[in-house]
Amino acid sequence: MAAILERAGMARGALYHYFPGGKAEIFTAVFDMINEAFHRRRDSLHDLPSPLARLESGVAVFLDMCTEDDFARIALAEAPQVVPGQGGRGSSYALLRDQVVEAIAAGELVLLDHEAVAMALYGAVRSAGEHVIAADNRATAVMESIKTLNCFLDGLRAAP
């Protein structure tokens, strides 16, 4: 809250005037901002040639954004506890699941239960994000995490 007040240049009472729902409403507004930033960067990949390429690039965007303290803390540590519906329509998980469904339908990934694949990949990506946050050299951690997650996805590729 102190950081928000300092950045906004206002007193606590004035902030609560704009957010009568208190801390939860303020956090939701901040979460929505970082979530929109992620989705803008991820959506810029929409013109990539295949669902699997979009999936791999979306993972890279997420991990790259995990090098930013505000994004990482909010997206990985705080949001799952505060913002309801993290698995709902429009959520990062739902978007990842949709991309998995597209990649399976396009014959790029092996025919497995899309929910199980999405759940495993989502968990791996979140864990990789936590690894990036904790790393002394975040840029190196991003590169190594992307390489590892791409190997994971290579193991799910359908045979040509």
Side-chain angles (χ1 to χ4, degrees):
M1 289 301 297
I4 292 171
L5 291 169
E6 184 177 321
R7 281 188 182 177
M10 65 174 56
R12 185 175 299 269
L15 185 64
Y16 285 119
H17 171 75
Y18 294 103
F19 296 97
K23 289 181 183 179
E25 186 177 354
I26 294 167
F27 183 84
T28 299
V30 172
F31 173 78
D32 287 346
M33 285 175 39
I34 65 133
N35 199 36
E36 287 174 25
F38 166 70
H39 288 279
R40 273 193 308 278
R41 285 185 61 189
R42 192 198 61 83
D43 290 348
S44 70
L45 307 170
H46 190 63
D47 292 335
L48 290 174
S50 75
L52 187 55
R54 288 190 296 277
L55 185 59
E56 290 171 335
S57 296
V59 167
V61 164
F62 175 79
L63 292 175
D64 184 55
M65 290 184 77
C66 284
T67 64
E68 301 166 17
D69 289 334
D70 290 343
F71 177 86
R73 185 182 66 253
I74 292 168
L76 289 171
E78 297 171 3
Q81 298 170 22
V82 179
V83 180
Q86 286 293 294
R89 182 160 173 69
S91 72
S92 297
Y93 176 77
L95 293 169
L96 183 140
R97 183 185 59 231
D98 292 347
Q99 288 179 321
V100 166
V101 168
E102 285 182 50
I104 290 171
E108 294 179 322
L109 294 178
V110 294
L111 186 57
L112 294 170
D113 177 69
H114 68 274
E115 198 69 47
V117 172
M119 177 186 59
L121 182 57
Y122 186 75
V125 171
R126 285 187 60 81
S127 292
E130 291 168 1
H131 169 68
V132 168
I133 293 169
D136 290 333
N137 185 328
R138 289 182 176 178
T140 299
V142 167
M143 289 186 306
E144 290 301 319
S145 295
I146 289 170
K147 188 177 359 175
T148 301
L149 289 165
N150 284 343
C151 286
F152 176 83
L153 285 168
D154 285 346
L156 294 170
R157 283 185 193 272

